[in-house]
Amino acid sequence: MGKIVQAAKITHVPSIWMSHTMPKYKGIRQPAIDGYARLRQDAIDREVDTFIIFDTHWITNQGFHLNTKEHHKGRFISHELPHMLADMEFDYRGDHDLGETILDVLRERGERALGHSHPDMGMEYGTLLPMHFINDGVNARILPVAVNQFSSIAENRVWGEAIAEGIRRSDRNVSILASGSLSHDFTPNERSVEGLNAVNGEFNRQMDMRVLELWEQGRFEEFLELLPDYAKKCTGECAMNDTALLFGALGWGSYKGEIDIYTPYFGSSGTGQANISFSV
Ligand SMILES: [Fe+2]
């Protein structure tokens, strides 16, 4: 029987790539890279076969979609922030079989879910950037999951639960990663350069810190109550539906685990970020 052996809410900000590749910015995101290294070590220790990534940059508008390609290979430049993230080579095995098993569960439950193995199906940096670091030397398969920007928190809960059931029906040790921001209000363009290391607005910063506090105290039910308002009022990245998928897969309000903050909260281009491991 397959199982979830790792779960985390993770950052994917392109300034990590700047920190990693551009001498001028060397080290500015070292804590994020160090957090990735801890997730990588956990993945090795827990013998992860497949990373499932809820990718808030693979934004879809209808239904629920998985990238079920057998192989992902190419070279990436971000269309959103080409000056920050370019020249990223990637070559990963996909997980068509696990994708199909999850799709079986979704269809049994009457959900509109599709897998895509079309050779032209690309990859987004919500998957690629964390995988560059976390999957380095782990060489696990990857299964990118799109995040639907017009879906409800409740729908994502259901989809997350179906993913967990699909994992149980497989023979895989799976890591599930919610790749998305906390608050996500980009610094306005005219101030974007000075906003590189900041959160845009004290309200958002306070809300993010409060959410982390609730998680540290294990008050997940309260968090889930406020999630729809939090997503709306703090400009959630892809409506924070990656977080809803994560909690759906972990059991929603019945989740009784603990978090471990692998990368302390930081601001990046106005958005609130962290790497947080959830016990499973
Ligand atoms: Fe993002």
Side-chain angles (χ1 to χ4, degrees), residues 115-160:
H116 303 276
S117 296
H118 194 287
D120 294 340
M121 179 60 77
M123 297 266 283
E124 302 297 336
Y125 74 72
T127 297
L128 288 171
L129 188 91
M131 282 297 97
H132 180 86
F133 296 92
I134 300 171
N135 201 8
D136 180 27
V138 183
N139 301 323
R141 297 173 185 275
I142 67 166
L143 178 56
V145 173
V147 180
N148 181 322
Q149 64 181 334
F150 299 119
S151 59
S152 65
I153 298 279
E155 284 177 294
N156 283 280
R157 173 186 178 174
V158 167
W159 295 335

Side-chain angles (χ1 to χ4, degrees), residues 96-107:
H96 184 82
D97 292 348
L98 178 59
E100 287 300 324
T101 305
I102 291 168
L103 287 164
D104 285 344
V105 178
L106 286 158
R107 288 175 192 136

